Amino acid sequence: MKLYLDPGHGGQDPGAQGHGLNEKDVTLDIALKLRTILQNDYENVQVKMSRTSDTTKSLSQRTSEANAWGADYYLSIHINSATSSASGYEDYIYIGLSNSLTAKNQGIIHEEVLNVNELKDRGKKKANFHVLRESSMPAVLTENGFITNAHDAALMKQASWRQKVAQGHANGLAKIFHLKRKSQPEPTPPIPSPGTLYKVIATSFKSRENADELVTLLHDKGFEAFVNSTTISGETWYRVQAGAFSDRSNAEERLTQLHKAGFKDSFLIAE
């Protein structure tokens, strides 16, 4: 899918103004967010923007560029203005189209954007706008709220709202062109943090010689064992360790084996 994405106005043309906002800034931010969503989330998507910064570009330059590129769809993003009481979302296709694929696509965009934009529905409309008339591919122009309305403008000032509007447009385009989501890479498994270690102690001695003798006896019985010294209340003790397990059930099984083999003083410690 080749999308020509047209943030309205720009440069010397600020577009509509109100409540400290310029239309050209809001439309550009929504369009840039939309481009990022499409390129990051979907396969086989190409996006060409009429502008990616605050530059001046004529309407004829925009449509000529889209036509020469061979875009599959022309999406023009705008913000409305009127009296302070006017509010809500509406979109437009060329006035000469009815019962067409373009009209069907308009309905999909309309529904998906309204699902997320928290604006009143002003309906699907038609107009003789240049970008709709002169573009040779299906085209829609969306009017995303009224910059002259306090409620709508308050939303426009929120980056999270502009992100949602971009996502609504992306959802509509994904439905129209049956876009396939990119497969997400498998998350890197977290490095396990050190857990509890269950040590099986055959017994402890104050005498190293006695501990060594028990190690020999355990070896004769088929158990791996070694001496591990530790200090308790200022005294050195020699523990004969016969296993260490992260799973307590495995440690308990080894302890049972030791008891059955006659090493009744065996016990577990958790560290």
Side-chain angles (χ1 to χ4, degrees), residues 123-142:
K124 300 184 289 291
K125 300 183 178 183
K126 298 177 182 179
N128 190 29
F129 297 146
H130 174 95
V131 297
L132 303 178
R133 183 183 66 250
E134 301 300 326
S135 52
S136 59
M137 68 291 302
V140 67
L141 183 149
T142 63

Side-chain angles (χ1 to χ4, degrees), residues 228-248:
N228 188 10
S229 63
T230 187
T231 301
I232 301 175
S233 301
E235 293 186 304
T236 300
W237 287 80
Y238 298 96
R239 288 175 173 168
V240 179
Q241 184 172 318
F245 304 88
S246 58
D247 188 324
R248 185 183 178 97

Side-chain angles (χ1 to χ4, degrees), residues 108-261:
I108 294 172
I109 293 283
H110 189 88
E111 179 180 0
E112 291 298 328
V113 176
L114 275 174
N115 281 342
V116 297
N117 69 3
E118 304 170 52
L119 295 175
K120 181 174 68 176
D121 183 1
R122 293 175 58 89
K124 300 184 289 291
K125 300 183 178 183
K126 298 177 182 179
N128 190 29
F129 297 146
H130 174 95
V131 297
L132 303 178
R133 183 183 66 250
E134 301 300 326
S135 52
S136 59
M137 68 291 302
V140 67
L141 183 149
T142 63
E143 293 277 8
N144 296 275
F146 282 74
I147 206 167
T148 43
N149 177 269
H151 168 267
D152 292 8
L155 290 174
M156 293 174 200
K157 292 179 180 180
Q158 301 174 20
S160 59
W161 180 84
R162 299 193 299 272
Q163 183 70 37
K164 286 192 289 187
V165 171
Q167 186 66 62
H169 284 78
N171 294 345
L173 291 167
K175 280 192 173 182
I176 291 170
F177 290 98
H178 307 289
L179 299 181
K180 182 179 179 182
R181 282 190 171 274
K182 290 182 178 179
S183 58
Q184 298 299 316
E186 291 293 328
T188 303
I191 299 173
S193 57
T196 302
L197 189 64
Y198 299 96
K199 294 182 178 181
V200 183
I201 308 300
T203 194
S204 296
F205 300 94
K206 287 187 176 181
S207 166
R208 174 66 188 241
E209 183 178 353
N210 291 341
D212 289 338
E213 288 179 358
L214 182 55
V215 167
T216 300
L217 181 58
L218 284 163
H219 287 172
D220 291 343
K221 296 286 187 178
F223 295 101
E224 291 292 329
F226 61 93
V227 176
N228 188 10
S229 63
T230 187
T231 301
I232 301 175
S233 301
E235 293 186 304
T236 300
W237 287 80
Y238 298 96
R239 288 175 173 168
V240 179
Q241 184 172 318
F245 304 88
S246 58
D247 188 324
R248 185 183 178 97
S249 62
N250 292 338
E252 289 176 344
E253 182 180 349
R254 175 61 57 84
L255 185 62
T256 299
Q257 294 170 350
L258 288 171
H259 287 167
K260 287 181 178 179

